[in-house]
Amino acid sequence: MFLLSSIFPISMAILSYIFNKYHKIFILISYIGIFISLIISKTPQSYIPGDWSSSNGIEFFFDNEIKIVLICFMFFSAFIYLRFFKNKNHEFTLLWLILNGSLNSFFMSRDFFNIYVHIELISMIVFLILAMDKDSTRIWISLKYMLMSSVALNFYLIGVGMFYSNTGTLNITLSLEFSKPLFSQSFIITGLLIKSGVFFLSGWLPSAQSEASEGVPSILSGIVEKIGLWVIYLIFPLLTFEVKNFLLYFGIISAILSSIFTFLQIDLKKLLAYSTMTQMSYGLIIIAVRPEFFPIFLIYDMFSKGILFLLADDLNEKFGSKNLEKLKNVKISIVPYIIFFILLFNIGGVFPSNLYKLKSSLIIPLIIEVNIFIFGMYFTKLFKTFHISKKFGFKYLYLLLVTPVILYITYIKYNFEISKITYQYLLFFGGVIFYLLIFKKIKFKPINIYSFENSLIYQIAFLLIFFIIESLSRI
Amino acid sequence: MKKKIIALFLIIPIFLLLAFYMEIGDAQSPYTAQEILVENGSINMVAAIVLDYRLFDTFFEVLVFTLAVTGVSYYVKKLPVVSDSDFEKTSITVNVFAPIMFQMIVLVSLYVAVAGHIGPGGGFAAGVILGTGLLGVTFVKPMEDIEKIFIKSKIEKYKIITPFLIAIYGILGIVWGDSFFTNIPLVGQPGKLLSGGAIIILNLLIGFEVFAGTWTILYKFIKHRGML
Amino acid sequence: MSYEILSLLVFFIGLFGLITKKDMILKLVNLGILQSSVVLFFVSIAFKGDAPIIITSDISNYSDPLIHSFLLTVIVIGFANLALMLVFSMILSNKIKTHVVKEIEAKIE
């Protein structure tokens, strides 16, 4: 019954394309249908369409974690639709409903090839949505994204082929007890990491998130970039010990480097795009150490990044520019100002935020705290740019009520260690003071290391390093 | 020049590592011939797997193809149309032979689609054959006739019905089986036409869909870019 | 075993061409080579002696039908992606009048 939450929106999408005039009614019906079919399914259950055995058919699995993630995702997508996409035509409705339906069944599938087909369908819809108003900048960034995604998914397919030649089945849970051939893990993980937006490998991300039309960066950074990390979370029991270590160290290095690049940007949306890269590296670290916390990270990051991009899009629309030099001394109303800085604080990782609770339950090397120092620097930079105006901003009041509930309340018990909180706040204020001392002497120029051919070279270099690490453990 | 040297320095060690240390096992998939004959009834094993055991994959793949074709015909409206006088005249052989060939191509593609479970073939191959066969007629007739056929047949609206019909067939699987996407219990005798459940209907639907898509893509490319 | 290595050689030739060629259309041709080599890699894993996958009365050594069934999907998806990429590069070259990647990047960013 839970599979209806994916077949039903897709059928409604096709009906809404045929009957153009009533396409908004079909959206309402599909959201109600998804909600009902998610609530009434029993958990946990495993289901194979066609009633075959699990080595013959495609297996789907549903339990409580996936239920909570999918219900939160349904609310998030309804909220983004009502805010940005209310007035689009029936072709957009077709794409939007198929995106919702296929994301629902992506999270439940447990079969290597079925995951590949889902990632291709979701990527095809994102390519079409990114370039929808036929502007030449957006067509170029969509073309770049398409080429890199094709190369990444071909890497993934070669890895699955090598893996299959040992096990004989495409089911993830049944492949656990076989031994893994030598280079299959590098191919699969490189392909997935290119799609998911970590620092070194994703050349498409800074331009795609800063130049897209309004509303699209929220859905991109909210859920579409997390699908690569979700697949790594699913195949995590199959990886060997050296690969897990390598992923942890790679996550730490890429988090620090992308923080430095976040600080050096002068464009507001590019700054948020590089901070998305930092968050993806945090997600990789969480998977490498305690994978059971990953769904919680997914939910809280979906909402914070989505609402931050919403506020940035509103600023862009109201004042006509994304450049921080031109936005100096603009006045924002009180309520969005407070929400913006609370959410930014939440991403940083100091005491009352969710990221602090997640980080303090992991055992990771201390060098990751350098991120808090750099976070202090760019927090101050944004703080000096925007000023408060006297208007209240009533239309954002609902966001203020929603923010504390979703972002600060969770069931993870956190350790209230005074020493850790003290030195984190010392690092934070150190960053603030350091920025106030030096900001008159630095000139920020936009640097771009992600031209088209350079990004492909970085990806192949990463593949070579991964090969060397995997072969060192076996030879 | 610098990029070529760097790329070579990275690719050659990767390939040498793969050539010397790669291990490929030889495992076989769990489908045996006797099982497929008993459970499904068609003697083409690939058709049985694509349209019965893993029908959910095929459903999403038809969706990808439909969306790509919709996207192509949406974006291609921005390009200018090439006028008819830019084409050079085709020779007499093509003018006489193309309409005759087209009738034979229609019959061949129908056979390949309907007999997909008794021999090699299936919906995808049949659709591509018919789509490129219709392209041969485009060489012969003037552009306005083909444009009129294209608009009058309303093929842009009808080609999107196929995924909807496959989804309805899947949901109705509860009626004659236990779960979604179950096959019709019509196993029949292997080797005859009426065997293998609903594979004939699915093959015809997929054939129509792929034909519409391929013809749309190739026709729009000719209209907006011209022929050599 | 040697057939898999040869198909991976074709894969890396396609990848090298994708990086070094300057024209957008030639990059797409190399992407087509890359997709075909992945299909060849899978076919050489599935080959086991006699090739038939049609069940006749005495059949003992048939190729793997599961791999053939998902190669159909891979080919169709590759074809759809390639068509969409060609349309996008046609629209770009109509506006900016060039196919070379460096000039497109210089004019857009």
Side-chain angles (χ1 to χ4, degrees):
Chain A
M1 207 41 78
F2 57 86
L3 214 54
L4 267 183
S5 72
S6 121
I7 305 182
F8 189 67
I10 297 182
S11 327
M12 290 295 124
I14 298 177
L15 281 181
S16 84
Y17 187 75
I18 299 179
F19 303 110
N20 314 11
K21 296 207 193 99
Y22 310 110
H23 62 103
K24 296 204 176 132
I25 304 184
F26 285 110
I27 296 189
L28 186 62
I29 302 179
S30 8
Y31 274 124
I32 298 178
I34 296 177
F35 189 62
I36 294 179
S37 77
L38 281 177
I39 292 278
I40 68 174
S41 317
K42 300 194 285 277
T43 64
Q45 55 167 314
S46 140
Y47 181 80
I48 300 178
D51 223 3
W52 308 107
S53 72
S54 81
S55 63
N56 271 353
I58 312 174
E59 183 180 350
F60 288 91
F61 185 69
F62 191 62
D63 63 353
N64 269 329
E65 275 181 351
I66 301 180
K67 190 176 195 172
I68 298 178
V69 167
L70 285 181
I71 292 183
C72 289
F73 168 62
M74 190 197 90
F75 281 119
F76 178 69
S77 88
F79 165 62
I80 296 278
Y81 181 81
L82 285 175
R83 174 64 187 83
F84 284 115
F85 299 129
K86 261 193 307 215
N87 307 323
K88 300 248 182 176
N89 53 359
H90 60 280
E91 280 149 5
F92 188 84
T93 309
L94 168 80
L95 295 174
W96 181 257
L97 282 178
I98 296 187
L99 180 66
N100 270 330
S102 59
L103 272 167
N104 276 344
S105 75
F106 168 77
F107 280 104
M108 304 193 253
S109 147
R110 293 288 181 268
D111 177 274
F112 276 116
F113 189 65
N114 208 12
I115 287 180
Y116 168 76
V117 179
H118 275 103
I119 296 183
E120 283 280 5
L121 180 58
I122 294 173
S123 311
M124 168 77 61
I125 297 181
V126 170
F127 306 149
L128 290 175
I129 289 185
L130 262 179
M132 208 148 194
D133 52 356
K134 301 183 191 171
D135 183 33
S136 38
T137 314
R138 296 188 178 134
I139 290 186
W140 169 241
I141 57 180
S142 184
L143 185 57
K144 236 186 354 179
Y145 185 18
M146 268 204 254
L147 260 168
M148 293 193 199
S149 161
S150 289
V151 171
L153 284 172
N154 279 322
F155 279 151
Y156 173 80
L157 269 185
I158 294 184
V160 166
M162 287 180 174
F163 210 70
Y164 169 81
S165 71
N166 242 6
T167 70
T169 168
L170 285 175
N171 201 339
I172 294 185
T173 31
L174 288 180
S175 325
L176 269 177
E177 54 250 13
F178 292 93
S179 73
K180 294 148 253 303
L182 186 54
F183 293 117
S184 60
Q185 294 167 65
S186 354
F187 273 121
I188 294 182
I189 293 187
T190 309
L192 290 171
L193 282 180
I194 293 178
K195 291 288 294 179
S196 72
V198 288
F199 169 68
F200 197 46
L201 300 169
S202 310
W204 51 272
L205 198 146
S207 41
Q209 283 210 340
S210 64
E211 309 280 346
S213 44
E214 48 176 30
V216 179
S218 307
I219 202 75
L220 252 187
S221 70
I223 198 79
V224 172
E225 285 165 11
K226 309 243 183 357
I227 54 182
L229 286 179
W230 176 266
V231 184
I232 300 184
Y233 163 71
L234 277 184
I235 66 174
F236 201 69
L238 308 174
L239 306 177
T240 61
F241 177 67
E242 291 88 9
V243 170
K244 293 182 192 180
N245 253 353
F246 175 68
L247 284 180
L248 172 65
Y249 289 122
F250 175 69
I252 294 179
I253 296 176
S254 72
I256 296 179
L257 283 175
S258 59
S259 273
I260 297 180
F261 271 83
T262 316
F263 168 62
L264 292 174
Q265 298 299 315
I266 58 174
D267 184 326
L268 176 64
K269 278 171 90 167
K270 274 212 162 107
L271 195 149
L272 288 177
Y274 277 100
S275 93
T276 309
M277 277 190 185
T278 321
Q279 296 294 100
M280 292 299 152
S281 312
Y282 281 142
L284 193 57
I285 296 175
I286 290 179
I287 295 181
V289 180
R290 294 274 291 260
E292 60 261 16
F293 289 154
F294 184 66
I296 306 174
F297 172 78
L298 204 151
I299 297 177
Y300 111 84
D301 194 64
M302 174 166 73
F303 280 102
S304 1
K305 264 283 144 33
I307 300 180
L308 264 180
F309 270 107
L310 191 158
L311 292 171
D313 272 332
D314 273 347
L315 271 177
N316 188 16
E317 188 183 345
K318 197 162 158 189
F319 296 108
S321 158
K322 295 181 292 198
N323 203 339
L324 279 179
E325 313 269 321
K326 298 197 184 123
L327 285 177
K328 234 174 179 22
N329 304 331
V330 298
K331 297 190 181 294
I332 318 180
S333 328
I334 299 183
V335 171
Y337 188 82
I338 298 179
I339 299 178
F340 188 79
F341 283 102
I342 291 181
L343 287 176
L344 206 57
F345 203 71
N346 195 29
I347 299 183
V350 277
F351 167 59
S353 63
N354 253 342
L355 189 57
Y356 169 77
K357 290 178 204 159
L358 284 171
K359 269 201 305 194
S360 70
S361 9
L362 316 172
I363 307 176
I364 45 179
L366 272 180
I367 192 151
I368 194 105
E369 312 287 347
V370 173
N371 258 346
I372 302 189
F373 183 75
I374 305 177
F375 169 68
M377 295 207 290
Y378 69 79
F379 186 82
T380 322
K381 181 170 162 182
L382 282 175
F383 201 71
K384 285 170 72 63
T385 315
F386 299 121
H387 294 231
I388 306 188
S389 83
K390 295 213 174 49
K391 289 192 276 199
F392 192 66
F394 277 103
K395 36 179 204 168
Y396 297 103
L397 204 55
Y398 61 97
L399 281 180
L400 194 56
L401 299 171
V402 146
T403 312
V405 170
I406 294 180
L407 301 175
Y408 292 100
I409 296 183
T410 170
Y411 62 84
I412 308 178
K413 290 188 306 191
Y414 57 91
N415 320 320
F416 194 80
E417 298 172 26
I418 294 277
S419 59
K420 206 166 184 178
I421 299 179
T422 325
Y423 81 76
Q424 279 186 350
Y425 269 101
L426 274 177
L427 277 175
F428 178 68
F429 284 114
V432 172
I433 296 175
F434 186 69
Y435 180 74
L436 287 174
L437 286 177
I438 66 165
F439 81 98
K440 286 223 172 21
K441 302 187 190 141
I442 312 184
K443 264 196 169 317
F444 291 102
K445 269 188 303 199
I447 39 175
N448 191 11
I449 58 170
Y450 284 123
S451 78
F452 181 69
E453 288 156 5
N454 288 349
S455 324
L456 287 169
I457 293 184
Y458 301 151
Q459 289 164 7
I460 304 182
F462 179 78
L463 186 65
L464 180 59
I465 298 177
F466 212 145
F467 268 20
I468 296 178
I469 295 215
E470 228 188 319
S471 52
L472 277 180
S473 63
R474 297 276 188 107
I475 301 176
Chain B
M1 197 57 203
K2 250 187 345 184
K3 287 215 170 93
K4 288 189 188 169
I5 301 181
I6 297 179
L8 265 181
F9 261 136
L10 289 173
I11 289 186
I12 292 186
I14 294 182
F15 178 65
L16 289 175
L17 271 177
L18 274 177
F20 288 125
Y21 294 120
M22 181 171 74
E23 321 159 341
I24 303 277
D26 53 354
Q28 182 87 352
S29 72
Y31 301 100
T32 60
Q34 282 75 27
E35 255 182 43
I36 294 188
L37 278 182
V38 164
E39 288 176 358
N40 196 23
S42 64
I43 57 177
N44 187 355
M45 285 201 257
V46 175
I49 295 180
V50 163
L51 293 173
D52 194 3
Y53 287 93
R54 300 181 72 103
L55 182 54
F56 208 64
D57 277 345
T58 314
F59 171 60
F60 276 98
E61 170 212 348
V62 170
L63 263 179
V64 170
F65 189 71
T66 311
L67 281 181
V69 171
T70 314
V72 163
S73 67
Y74 174 77
Y75 280 105
V76 99
K77 289 185 195 145
K78 209 169 155 67
L79 293 174
V81 179
V82 173
S83 73
D84 210 0
S85 58
D86 289 347
F87 300 153
E88 52 175 61
K89 293 270 168 223
T90 49
S91 64
I92 295 191
T93 322
V94 177
N95 270 335
V96 166
F97 214 46
I100 307 179
M101 281 300 290
F102 175 63
Q103 300 171 28
M104 282 198 269
I105 287 179
V106 170
L107 282 178
V108 165
S109 98
L110 269 180
Y111 168 72
V112 165
V114 165
H117 57 288
I118 331 183
F124 296 103
V128 173
I129 291 175
L130 192 52
T132 48
L134 199 52
L135 203 60
V137 180
T138 316
F139 291 153
V140 175
K141 292 206 176 223
M143 218 40 146
E144 288 85 23
D145 287 355
I146 311 274
E147 180 77 22
K148 266 190 260 175
I149 299 178
F150 193 73
I151 295 184
K152 205 164 88 153
S153 64
K154 291 206 198 148
I155 207 166
E156 309 229 7
K157 272 216 163 161
Y158 287 153
K159 71 174 180 268
I160 210 165
I161 290 194
T162 309
F164 181 64
L165 291 175
I166 301 184
I168 296 282
Y169 163 79
I171 295 183
L172 286 178
I174 286 195
V175 170
W176 52 68
D178 253 340
S179 45
F180 296 128
F181 288 100
T182 319
N183 205 353
I184 302 180
L186 174 78
V187 173
Q189 246 187 334
K192 304 281 183 180
L193 195 63
L194 282 178
S195 60
I199 287 191
I200 295 188
I201 307 177
L202 287 173
N203 262 336
L204 280 173
L205 279 177
I206 292 181
F208 173 68
E209 162 73 39
V210 175
F211 153 65
T214 319
W215 185 40
T216 308
I217 292 182
L218 292 174
Y219 171 66
K220 294 277 185 189
F221 274 13
I222 287 188
K223 179 170 151 191
H224 291 268
R225 201 64 172 165
M227 288 192 278
L228 290 170
Chain C
M1 176 70 178
S2 56
Y3 293 122
E4 283 98 357
I5 300 179
L6 286 174
S7 55
L8 283 178
L9 175 67
V10 179
F11 180 84
F12 285 115
I13 291 177
L15 193 56
F16 178 71
L18 185 61
I19 297 179
T20 52
K21 291 290 177 191
K22 299 194 179 49
D23 195 331
M24 194 69 198
I25 305 288
L26 290 175
K27 283 192 204 275
L28 291 178
V29 170
N30 280 307
L31 185 68
I33 296 179
L34 208 139
Q35 286 169 345
S36 308
S37 79
V38 170
V39 171
L40 194 60
F41 178 70
F42 273 103
V43 167
S44 65
I45 289 182
F47 179 67
K48 297 252 184 332
D50 299 334
I53 44 176
I54 310 290
I55 304 178
T56 49
S57 51
D58 52 348
I59 181 167
S60 57
N61 215 10
Y62 44 87
S63 320
D64 205 346
L66 178 60
I67 290 189
H68 289 271
S69 72
F70 69 72
L71 283 179
L72 270 180
T73 308
V74 169
I75 295 176
V76 170
I77 291 182
F79 167 66
N81 269 333
L82 203 56
L84 203 55
M85 281 195 249
L86 272 175
V87 169
F88 277 6
S89 60
M90 274 203 294
I91 296 182
L92 266 184
S93 85
N94 210 18
K95 268 253 161 99
I96 305 188
K97 311 273 183 264
T98 174
H99 274 142
V100 179
V101 172
K102 276 211 169 80
E103 299 176 17
I104 298 179
E105 279 186 339
K107 283 193 191 171
I108 286 191
E109 286 163 26

